[in-house]
């Protein structure tokens, strides 16, 4: 039980700080660290990650970091993409999926390390505020793409959502984390 609490704290901190990492950390922690079978670990991880995200969202929402029109369009557009990614994932060999997932993680890490200077103005007005009308089509496309990757690889997607919001839409890091939640 102590180990489960420690893992819960680490996963909550990761999700709260980065807006990502919940499912990618929770499922292995529950399976290998706590000893739950995969059939119990996945739904348990969903509850843990959802609780962490709600806690992080409530505090960031009070700070006006959540761009609600962007987040809603991004999320809605991701739903059909998730179904498409799931169907595609069922038709590909597991080895290919694991290799593609590893490659995606490397690409995302490198892109985040480089920063998003080239995309700072994508959805921004000259005063730095978000231009929601100009941003919504890009938000829908990015959401569909992230949804597809989420369905394809079977993970929560936060590790792709934050970089997509920052690099493709030009949200600041705190805004990207808040919108990811």
């Amino acid at each position: 039980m102590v180990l489960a609490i420690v893992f819960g704290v680490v996963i909550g901190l990761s999700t709260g700080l980065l807006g990502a990492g919940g499912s990618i950390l929770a499922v292995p922690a529950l399976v290998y660290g706590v000893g739950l079978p995969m059939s119990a670990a996945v739904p348990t991880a969903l509850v843990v990650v959802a609780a962490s995200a709600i806690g992080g969202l409530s505090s960031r929402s009070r700070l006006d970091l959540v761009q609600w029109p962007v987040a809603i369009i991004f999320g809605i557009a991701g739903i059909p993409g998730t179904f498409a990614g799931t169907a595609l994932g069922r038709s590909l060999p597991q080895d290919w999926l694991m290799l593609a997932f590893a490659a995606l993680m490397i690409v995302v890490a490198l892109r985040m390390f480089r920063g998003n200077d080239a995309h700072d103005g994508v959805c921004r007005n000259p005063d730095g505020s978000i231009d929601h009308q100009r941003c919504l089509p890009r938000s829908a496309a990015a959401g569909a793409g992230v949804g597809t990757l989420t369905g394809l690889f079977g993970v929560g997607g936060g590790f792709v959502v934050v970089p997509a919001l920052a690099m493709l839409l030009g949200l600041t890091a705190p805004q990207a984390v808040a919108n990811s939640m």
Side-chain angles (χ1 to χ4, degrees):
M1 183 59 125
V2 172
L3 203 51
I5 292 169
V6 170
F7 286 140
V9 168
V10 169
I11 291 162
L13 286 172
S14 169
T15 303
L17 283 172
L18 306 173
S23 297
I24 262 179
L25 297 174
V27 172
L30 291 167
V31 171
Y32 300 113
V34 179
L36 289 179
M38 187 67 115
S39 60
V42 170
T44 302
L46 289 173
V47 172
V48 169
V49 172
S52 296
I54 289 168
L57 175 63
S58 65
S59 64
R60 285 176 169 85
S61 181
R62 285 191 298 268
L63 296 172
D64 288 329
L65 291 172
V66 180
Q67 303 298 312
W68 288 106
V70 172
I72 290 167
I73 295 298
F74 190 97
I76 290 171
I79 294 169
T82 302
F83 287 109
T86 301
L88 179 60
R90 288 185 184 147
S91 68
L92 297 174
Q94 286 299 117
D95 291 342
W96 289 13
L97 285 175
M98 293 304 289
L99 184 61
F101 182 62
L104 176 65
M105 289 176 68
I106 291 168
V107 168
V108 168
L110 291 173
R111 293 290 309 263
M112 288 301 289
F113 185 70
R114 266 191 22 215
N116 69 334
D117 294 341
H119 302 285
D120 281 344
V122 172
C123 291
R124 296 200 173 278
N125 291 315
D127 66 358
S129 64
I130 299 293
D131 181 343
H132 291 112
Q133 279 193 315
R134 192 173 69 200
C135 195
L136 292 182
R138 269 187 101 98
S139 184
V146 167
T148 301
L149 293 173
T150 298
L152 182 62
F153 297 120
V155 295
F159 78 101
V160 179
V161 173
V162 172
L165 291 169
M167 292 185 299
L168 300 177
L169 303 180
L171 271 60
T172 65
Q175 287 173 331
V177 168
N179 284 273
S180 174
M181 292 183 183

